[in-house]
Amino acid sequence: MKLSIIIPTYNEATNIAGLINDLSEHARGRQIEIIVSDAGSKDATMEVAAKAGAVVLKSPNPGRAAQMNYASRFASGDVLYFVHADVSIHPDYFKDIENAVSEGFGAGCYRFQFDTDRAILKINSYFTRFDRLMCRGGDQTLFVTRKLFDQLDGFDEYYSIMEDYDIIIRIRKIARFSIIPKNVTVSARKYENNSWLRVQVANLTAFAMFYLKKDPRHIALKYKSMLDYR
């Protein structure tokens, strides 16, 4: 199996080299390619990523869905693995994905844990083991076989936000979806800059608007207005 790892970025110079290095080290000689799809970062993201060994592309359109679709055109792997730049991947990622695909899963994700010991955030982490759409999210990383991704026509670029939920809904209609019983580690920065309740309310509001098929642009504006993004 060859794995194409696609990382959408915008101003991620602080995180990107560490992620690329971890992906390369934990591949343990297996076939991977790392593609960074940048949305016009104002910092040194593209230069840092290239120096770390990734193929770096400048996406013609911003937004994660557009960036990931653009990178997929250049990917040569049998499986695509979409990873956010501020996530710490699991060291067994290649073997885990290879096993899931060999067992007949067309796509899947990990559970997650936060990079903090705050007890209340362990509640959020605990629920990512359950097979419910509300328990999913792009921070959990997402693998999809190339065949299935093409069958789905990739991410729907209409979704400037919630693109991960949309594609999982479409995946589940035609393929098996695996939740790997291991954790990736995600940043708790959003919770540190806001209260736990404030983030939960914002997340539930965004999910409800998505469920009610509201315009993604309106969802994004509402979500950003509810949180402090320092």
Side-chain angles (χ1 to χ4, degrees):
M1 184 184 82
K2 181 176 181 181
L3 190 64
S4 295
I5 302 153
I6 294 173
I7 309 168
T9 56
Y10 182 72
N11 293 342
E12 293 288 356
T14 303
N15 300 310
I16 194 64
L19 174 58
I20 292 169
N21 291 335
D22 285 347
L23 287 164
S24 299
E25 178 183 349
H26 296 318
R28 300 182 179 92
R30 297 178 176 94
Q31 274 196 301
I32 67 166
E33 62 181 359
I34 302 172
I35 305 174
V36 167
S37 184
D38 192 74
S41 292
K42 307 303 182 186
D43 64 8
T45 297
M46 296 178 71
E47 294 80 3
V48 171
K51 187 175 181 180
V55 174
V56 180
L57 307 172
K58 185 174 181 180
S59 176
N61 297 305
R64 279 182 173 149
Q67 289 170 248
M68 293 187 289
N69 281 346
Y70 183 67
S72 73
R73 299 176 200 168
F74 298 87
S76 59
D78 310 294
V79 179
L80 308 179
Y81 186 36
F82 299 97
V83 180
H84 290 180
D86 59 352
V87 169
S88 295
I89 52 100
H90 195 282
D92 296 335
Y93 78 91
F94 192 104
K95 181 179 69 175
D96 291 338
I97 294 171
E98 188 174 45
N99 288 345
V101 171
S102 69
E103 292 168 6
F105 291 97
C109 69
Y110 279 85
R111 302 173 184 177
F112 74 64
Q113 62 187 13
F114 287 101
D115 59 354
T116 178
D117 290 329
R118 287 180 62 188
I120 197 164
L121 291 183
K122 292 182 180 180
I123 297 172
N124 294 54
S125 303
Y126 179 81
F127 280 96
T128 62
R129 71 191 58 218
F130 297 117
D131 190 9
R132 296 289 183 270
L133 185 63
M134 283 187 68
C135 301
R136 303 280 68 83
D139 284 340
Q140 292 169 275
T141 71
L142 175 71
F143 72 85
V144 188
T145 64
R146 179 85 224 199
K147 181 179 179 181
L148 177 58
F149 188 78
D150 290 343
Q151 187 177 351
L152 294 166
D153 292 324
F155 290 93
D156 187 341
E157 296 181 21
Y158 167 71
Y159 290 98
S160 53
I161 188 173
M162 314 295 283
E163 77 289 335
D164 40 3
Y165 293 94
D166 169 73
I167 198 170
I168 289 173
I169 289 171
R170 292 187 289 124
I171 286 169
R172 288 185 178 279
K173 290 179 179 178
I174 58 175
R176 297 174 67 202
F177 189 89
S178 172
I179 302 168
I180 297 171
K182 298 179 183 179
N183 292 323
V184 294
T185 302
V186 304
S187 172
R189 179 176 55 189
K190 190 187 300 181
Y191 289 88
E192 291 167 353
N193 293 340
N194 302 272
S195 70
W196 179 85
L197 181 60
R198 187 175 178 183
V199 176
Q200 293 304 107
V201 170
N203 289 343
L204 287 171
T205 299
F207 189 85
M209 292 177 73
F210 169 77
Y211 182 78
L212 293 170
K213 302 187 185 302
K214 300 296 184 181
D215 189 320
R217 293 171 297 179
H218 297 161
I219 301 175
L221 287 171
K222 181 66 175 177
Y223 189 73
K224 290 176 181 177
S225 73
M226 298 178 73
L227 297 174
D228 180 355
Y229 276 88
R230 286 177 295 170

